[in-house]
Amino acid sequence: MKKLIERIIPRPERPGMVGDGFRVFNFIPGANIVQRRISPFLMLDFNAAYDFGPSDHIRGVDVHPHKGFETVTIAYKGSVAHHDSAGNSGIINPGDVQWMTAGGGILHKEYHEENFSKKGGDFEMVQLWVNLPKKDKSVSAHYQGLTKEDITNVALPENAGEVNVIAGNFNGVSGVAKTYTPVNLFDIKLNGGGEVRFSLPANFNTAILVVNGSAEINEDKVSEHSFVLFKNEGTEISIKASEKAVLLVMSGEPIDEPIASYGPFVMNTQQEILEAINDFQNGKFGVLE
C-alpha cells in the first residue's frame, strides 16, 4: 500500500541565522510539527544554497553545549569544520556526513572550513537532530565522520540516479551510520525523468525534504525546498523527478517517551533538564576553547 501524504509544507518565507555561518530554514519543530509527531527527529534546519562570499573572518557557531541527543550534518555544497570537548575534530565536504552523539554532554563548535571561507562560494547543508532513548541519554559523547567514500552508494537502473544510504536499509542495502534506534536516512539524487521506489515501515515517522529540483512523490507534485510529511499508513514510496533533483528521506521508529527540551538539552523530564544545565555550568561537559 502506498504511504499516504499528510502535508506538503513549503519553505518558510524567511531564513534565520544560527551563529553567523548558517542561514537556515527551519522545518522541525516549525510548521506546527511538534517533536512527538516526528520522533525520533527533533529538529531540521535547512541551509539552502547561499553564497556567503569570501571572508578572512571564519563564520560559524562558537562553543556551545549539547546533551541527550545526536546532531547529524549533511554537506551538499561548501565545507564545515568541527571541534568538540571529547577531542574529536574533522572537516566535511560535499557528500560527507558528520554524526555526533552528544549523549551525556559535550561542548562543540562548527564553522566554515578555512580555505572555503577565504574563497567563498555556495554553501548548502542540512542539520538534523535525532533523539536518544532514555537508556542511552548518558552514553559517552562520540563522533562518526562519514566521508562520501564511506557511505554506501546504490546506482539506480536506467541511469535514473543514485541513493546514498547514510543509515538504515534501502531496498536491502544497509547504511554505515550506527544508530541507537531504527533510523533510515537516504540522500537521493535523481536525473531528469529518473524514478526510484522503496518501502518503509508503516509505523515509522517519515518525511522527505526536496533539497533541489522538483519531483512527483506518490503522484503528488512537490516543488523545490518543500517538506513532505507522511501519515503513518502504508509502506510504499515512489519518487519521479521532472528535472534533476536531490531529496533527503528521513524515517525512524518513534521513541515513545516524554520529551523535555530546553535549547541544546533534550531529556525526559524538567528535573533532568535542570541537572543538565547544572552539569554544564559545573564544567562536566569538558573544556573547549
Side-chain angles (χ1 to χ4, degrees), residues 49-113:
Y50 182 78
D51 189 342
F52 280 91
S55 174
D56 289 329
H57 161 69
I58 297 177
R59 302 179 178 96
V61 185
D62 208 351
V63 178
H64 59 284
H66 287 304
K67 182 176 182 177
F69 62 99
E70 302 181 287
T71 68
V72 182
T73 305
I74 303 164
Y76 291 97
K77 296 174 182 174
S79 302
V80 175
H82 159 94
H83 279 84
D84 66 43
S85 56
N88 301 301
S89 63
I91 295 167
I92 57 171
N93 299 301
D96 300 343
V97 174
Q98 171 195 288
W99 197 300
M100 186 187 78
T101 304
I106 197 168
L107 305 177
H108 86 142
K109 57 183 178 180
E110 49 198 337
Y111 45 92
H112 295 192
E113 185 272 330

Side-chain angles (χ1 to χ4, degrees), residues 166-279:
I166 299 167
N169 189 284
F170 170 82
N171 290 346
V173 178
S174 296
V176 293
K178 296 176 182 176
T179 66
Y180 284 85
T181 59
V183 171
N184 297 290
L185 194 59
F186 311 148
D187 168 34
I188 298 179
K189 294 178 170 65
L190 294 176
N191 297 318
E195 192 167 358
V196 62
R197 296 176 183 271
F198 54 94
S199 62
L200 294 166
N203 67 309
F204 280 27
N205 289 328
T206 300
I208 296 177
L209 173 67
V210 183
V211 176
N212 293 135
S214 59
E216 285 186 14
I217 300 177
N218 283 358
E219 299 176 5
D220 278 2
K221 292 183 178 179
V222 183
S223 59
E224 186 173 60
H225 298 174
S226 295
F227 185 81
V228 180
L229 178 66
F230 290 87
K231 295 181 180 180
N232 296 91
E233 300 175 36
T235 60
E236 303 300 319
I237 295 178
S238 67
I239 305 171
K240 184 173 182 179
S242 48
E243 57 183 320
K244 267 197 165 184
V246 177
L247 306 100
L248 180 65
V249 177
M250 62 204 77
S251 181
E253 183 175 59
I255 299 172
D256 188 19
E257 295 174 355
I259 296 173
S261 60
Y262 178 78
F265 309 121
V266 182
M267 306 301 292
N268 297 108
T269 68
Q270 289 301 317
Q271 178 59 37
E272 289 170 341
I273 291 291
L274 294 175
E275 290 168 2
I277 294 170
N278 189 57
D279 286 348

Side-chain angles (χ1 to χ4, degrees), residues 155-172:
L156 298 173
E158 299 179 8
N159 195 36
E162 64 181 12
V163 179
N164 296 307
V165 188
I166 299 167
N169 189 284
F170 170 82
N171 290 346

